[in-house]
Amino acid sequence: MKRYLAETAFFCAAHWKQTPRVVRGALRDYLKHPLGKRMYAYTAAEYWQWAAKVSPEDLPAAEAMVAEVRAYLPSLDDHERWNTQGLLASLKR
């Protein structure tokens, strides 16, 4: 239940372009829970998009998360890799 609440808080805060304090706190709580590679990739993309629009000082941290996702791309099966590459391709400054 705590993981679901943390997930919801992060994605809602990022989607509705909340303040950096709110998004960072929600992300920190969400990352305390184990995430699969797919959810981590989605979280990194959402965080990057939020940072690019709302909080440029968070871009280095968001880009580090995206770099982690790119690093584990080869370990994914073909379908997951294709989906994840499409998600990452949508990240434009």
Side-chain angles (χ1 to χ4, degrees):
M1 180 62 121
K2 288 182 181 183
R3 180 186 183 278
Y4 176 75
L5 290 173
E7 178 182 344
T8 302
F10 169 71
F11 284 109
C12 286
H15 176 78
W16 293 105
K17 298 174 183 66
Q18 294 297 309
T19 64
R21 183 184 62 81
V22 172
V23 173
R24 286 181 203 134
L27 178 63
R28 189 172 33 256
D29 287 344
Y30 185 41
L31 292 177
K32 289 178 184 175
H33 302 280
L35 303 179
K37 290 180 178 178
R38 181 176 53 95
M39 281 310 295
Y40 188 82
Y42 188 66
T43 302
E46 191 73 20
Y47 183 47
W48 190 94
Q49 289 175 341
W50 170 83
K53 293 175 184 171
V54 178
S55 182
E57 64 267 12
D58 284 286
L59 268 176
E63 287 173 350
M65 287 179 71
V66 170
E68 286 180 54
V69 173
R70 285 194 173 104
Y72 68 66
L73 273 175
S75 70
L76 300 175
D77 65 44
D78 290 340
H79 182 68
E80 278 287 313
R81 188 178 317 111
W82 183 80
N83 282 337
T84 305
Q85 286 171 330
L87 177 68
L88 295 177
S90 70
L91 303 179
K92 305 271 191 262
R93 274 196 198 204

